[in-house]
Amino acid sequence: MRNSIPGSYRRLADVALRIVLGAVFIYAGVMKIGHPQQLADSIAAFEILPRTMVSPLALGLPPFEIAAGLLLLIGWLRRVAALALVIAMAIFSAALLSAILRGLTLDCGCFGAGSA
């Protein structure tokens, strides 16, 4: 069975998706990097991590998002970057589902302080 989408369209879709996702993660990281305390408060509100892990995560997450977004955007190590972001999103989704099931109302902190 032949693939019905020509190779040039698949490459174009790949590049477009990498640009959009890379830009979203770069933007998210940039919006958080200057406000680590607000991000730490958002992370702590999930009530999952021990207090000692909140600050390192708040300091490390924005550079991680920016680096992975840049790798995705420029296409260098794109599979590694995509896998890293998929794993991060899976962890975040599990944390968010846990918070919802426990009835917590919180600011996800996805794009900096005040993002619902």
Side-chain angles (χ1 to χ4, degrees):
M1 186 167 144
R2 291 186 61 184
N3 194 338
S4 61
I5 301 173
S8 60
Y9 289 122
R10 280 184 288 162
R11 282 189 295 279
L12 181 63
D14 175 60
V15 170
L17 191 57
R18 283 191 301 110
I19 289 170
V20 169
L21 290 176
V24 166
F25 280 97
I26 292 167
Y27 176 77
V30 166
M31 295 305 294
K32 290 184 266 202
I33 203 160
H35 309 284
Q37 185 58 54
Q38 291 173 340
L39 181 56
D41 292 342
S42 294
I43 293 169
F46 280 84
E47 299 176 1
I48 295 174
L49 293 176
R51 255 339 221 177
T52 57
M53 292 182 67
V54 171
S55 290
L57 182 59
L59 292 171
L61 185 61
F64 165 81
E65 289 177 330
I66 293 168
L70 282 171
L71 289 174
L72 206 55
L73 190 68
I74 64 174
W76 188 60
L77 297 174
R78 68 180 186 269
R79 289 183 180 183
V80 173
L83 178 61
L85 291 172
V86 164
I87 291 169
M89 289 303 300
I91 292 168
F92 173 72
S93 296
L96 191 57
L97 179 61
S98 169
I100 290 169
L101 292 175
R102 290 180 289 137
L104 298 177
T105 303
L106 46 84
D107 168 13
C108 76
C110 299
F111 296 98
S115 57

